[in-house]
């Protein structure tokens, strides 16, 4: 059902955005203003922050789209990153 | 063209002994100089003869300046101690004593390290070349001292020579003389130093990375600089491929080392750089480069194990990979004198492997040593810091696998009953522990996740149970 899907997508997006802010604050990294077009690597998060984000999302959402089956395409923007999780959830 | 001297050639002879010195260059984000300029001058403030038979601590901030120091002082100094940028002032006295350092070479203000080296002769090595006479003889078999992480927070010094370091360079990777090398690594670590040596010994050029430079800016600089050969850890490469500037460069050769290369990163590199040869290598500071794998698949062919008569012999014993070759380091420069190799000359890499079909796959490290993006973390070192908090009874630090950095450091903490009874909030304890860790540990060692647990499992011997991670 489209409405359920939309709710679910928004939830994933909310969790990701919230975790990005929490992790950046914990690691004392200043964040750029977040938007879908912003490249992840220019958001203020470094590799270590991103690793923590992926682990936290695994705990929060039960999803790890990166788990190495060799098929994952690395996301470049925040939008790509969110889409990766949304697609993993709908699988 | 100057000919390299016979026997035990120094790095200098490889740098100046090529007809291409005018085209070859070293560059970083700030400077670019040709090897022809270097061949006719000096970037050292002091006369080069004053470094004869000295033990020199290379404490420069810039990699370019460290490379210039190596090029000029190999064959002259008795020892060159290559200090990585994350060495702390508190670690310096121990290093200076172990390595018998008598000269400190810097490229700028020493900042908070000035106090620790105040007693030593301080000399400068910048990136500017001045006209200078050259010593006629570079006959010293200079020892190169590299660092690996130790369990107590004090780095171990590993003794190499140019010969043992350069052994892997003749591995059949055909490289054009005009190759331009680069690496995401710092050249003061084994993985990065290998790339500098490939550039120097193979007749190529070298473009240095800069830790302060955003990855996109570095990738664009590498593209503009015409980089043809480039290396990094799988974590470096994941970061690069997530940058919109990944395609700003078009290398012909892409190398991974320092961590387990999984199939996802190999596939993504293939997709981004379709024309590149992609190789993943296995190396350690102690054992040197063991092999590289060029078939684009994770793991390595089982036929490489127990294959006698190779330059590098490998075996698997008690689950871990053991290596014997002329590339292994001479020894550890330590007082506890832990043997580097066993009686047969094999070094235990501590990396656990598992055979599946006709390939071996790396599955983690023995003794719970954690590899975060190619940098080793000993759980004991982090536990010792956590345990300084008065409310902590026990802690256990371990790896959590990460598809981004290979692993991250996580900690489970048991709070003292008295603190629990007094109503201490774990959130407060967590903040205090993290703040202590951030003040005393390198960023990759600070626990990314900290959990309160009621108890920790102990082994029969009363030690904290660790699993390979």
């Amino acid at each position: 059902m489209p409405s359920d899907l939309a709710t679910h997508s928004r939830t994933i997006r909310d969790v990701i955005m919230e975790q990005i802010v929490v992790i950046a604050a914990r690691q004392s990294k200043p964040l750029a203003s977040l938007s879908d077009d912003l490249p992840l690597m220019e958001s203020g998060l470094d590799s270590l922050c991103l690793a923590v984000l992926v682990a936290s999302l695994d705990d929060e959402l039960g999803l790890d789209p990166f788990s190495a089956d060799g098929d994952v395409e690395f996301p470049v923007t925040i939008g790509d990153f969110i889409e990766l999780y949304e697609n993993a959830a709908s699988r | 063209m100057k000919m390299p001297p016979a026997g035990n050639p120094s790095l200098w002879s490889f740098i100046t002994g090529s007809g291409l010195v005018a085209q070859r260059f070293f560059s970083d984000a700030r400077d670019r100089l040709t090897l022809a300029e270097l061949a006719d001058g000096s970037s050292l403030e002091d006369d080069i003869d004053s470094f004869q038979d000295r033990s020199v601590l290379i404490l420069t901030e810039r990699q370019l300046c460290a490379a210039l120091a190596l090029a000029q002082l190999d064959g002259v100094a008795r020892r060159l101690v290559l200090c990585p940028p994350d060495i702390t002032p508190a670690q310096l006295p121990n290093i200076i004593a172990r390595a018998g350092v008598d000269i400190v070479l810097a490229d700028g203000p020493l900042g908070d390290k000035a106090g620790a080296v105040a007693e030593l002769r301080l000399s400068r090595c910048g990136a500017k070349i001045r006209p200078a006479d050259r010593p006629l003889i570079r006959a010293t078999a200079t020892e190169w001292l590299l660092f690996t992480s130790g369990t107590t927070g004090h780095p171990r010094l590993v003794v190499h020579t140019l010969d043992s370091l350069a052994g892997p360079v003749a591995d059949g990777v055909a490289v054009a003389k005009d190759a331009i090398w680069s690496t995401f690594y710092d050249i003061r670590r084994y993985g990065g130093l290998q790339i500098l040596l490939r550039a120097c010994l193979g007749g190529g050029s070298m473009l240095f990375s800069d830790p302060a430079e955003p990855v996109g800016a570095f990738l664009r600089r590498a593209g503009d600089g015409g980089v043809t050969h480039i290396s990094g850890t799988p974590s470096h490469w994941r970061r690069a491929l997530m940058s919109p500037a990944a395609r700003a460069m078009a290398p012909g050769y892409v190398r991974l080392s320092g961590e387990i290369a999984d199939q996802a990163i190999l596939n993504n590199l293939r997709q981004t750089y379709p024309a590149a040869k992609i190789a993943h290598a296995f190396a350690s500071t102690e054992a040197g480069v063991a092999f590289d794998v060029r078939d684009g698949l994770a793991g390595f062919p089982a036929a490489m194990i127990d294959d006698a008569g190779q330059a590098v012999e490998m075996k698997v014993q008690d689950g871990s990979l053991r290596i014997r070759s002329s590339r292994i380091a001479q020894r550890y420069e330590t007082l506890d004198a832990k043997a580097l190799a066993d009686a047969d000359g094999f070094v235990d890499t501590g990396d656990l492997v598992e055979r599946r079909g006709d390939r071996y796959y790396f599955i983690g490290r023995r003794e719970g040593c954690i590899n975060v993006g190619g940098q080793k973390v000993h759980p004991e070192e982090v536990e010792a810091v956590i345990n300084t908090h008065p409310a902590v009874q026990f802690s256990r630090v371990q790896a959590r696998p990460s598809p981004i950095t290979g692993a991250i450091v996580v900690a489970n903490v048991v709070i003292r009953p008295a603190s629990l009874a007094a109503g201490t909030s774990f959130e407060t304890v967590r903040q205090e522990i993290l703040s202590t860790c951030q003040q005393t540990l390198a960023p990759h060692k600070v626990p990314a996740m900290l959990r309160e647990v009621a108890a920790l499992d102990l082994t029969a011997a009363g030690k904290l149970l660790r699993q390979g991670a």
Side-chain angles (χ1 to χ4, degrees), chain B residues 393-462:
Chain B
Q393 182 164 44
F394 286 127
S395 62
R396 181 173 53 194
V397 166
Q398 56 198 25
R400 171 168 175 166
S402 165
I404 307 297
T405 55
I408 54 175
V409 174
V410 298
N412 288 332
V413 176
V414 180
I415 302 296
R416 288 181 193 283
S419 301
L420 286 176
T424 306
S425 116
F426 184 69
E427 197 44 44
T428 311
V429 174
R430 181 216 304 277
Q431 289 305 331
E432 288 166 358
I433 291 174
L434 285 180
S435 128
T436 311
C437 287
Q438 280 159 355
Q439 283 160 27
T440 47
L441 297 169
H444 65 280
K445 296 180 180 176
V446 175
M449 294 179 160
L450 210 89
R451 287 210 177 86
E452 182 184 5
V453 293
L456 290 170
D457 295 331
L458 298 184
T459 62

Side-chain angles (χ1 to χ4, degrees), chain B residues 309-384:
Chain B
Q310 300 296 313
V312 177
E313 293 170 272
M314 306 198 295
K315 65 177 182 180
V316 175
Q317 194 178 315
D318 301 332
S320 71
L321 183 66
R322 320 278 170 124
I323 293 169
R324 179 167 69 183
S325 84
S326 60
R327 305 168 185 178
I328 67 174
Q330 270 63 36
R331 61 182 188 279
Y332 286 121
E333 191 68 24
T334 52
L335 297 177
D336 53 338
K338 177 181 183 270
L340 191 135
D342 69 15
D344 296 327
F346 279 90
V347 173
D348 182 359
T349 64
D351 286 290
L352 303 173
V353 292
E354 183 178 86
R355 185 169 177 164
R356 297 200 283 272
D358 60 359
R359 282 180 97 80
Y360 275 99
Y361 295 87
F362 289 99
I363 55 170
R365 300 262 322 162
R366 191 194 296 291
E367 292 158 4
C369 174
I370 306 167
N371 187 342
V372 181
Q375 294 182 277
K376 304 279 161 56
V377 181
H378 292 281
E380 297 88 344
E381 181 190 354
V382 183
E383 285 163 6

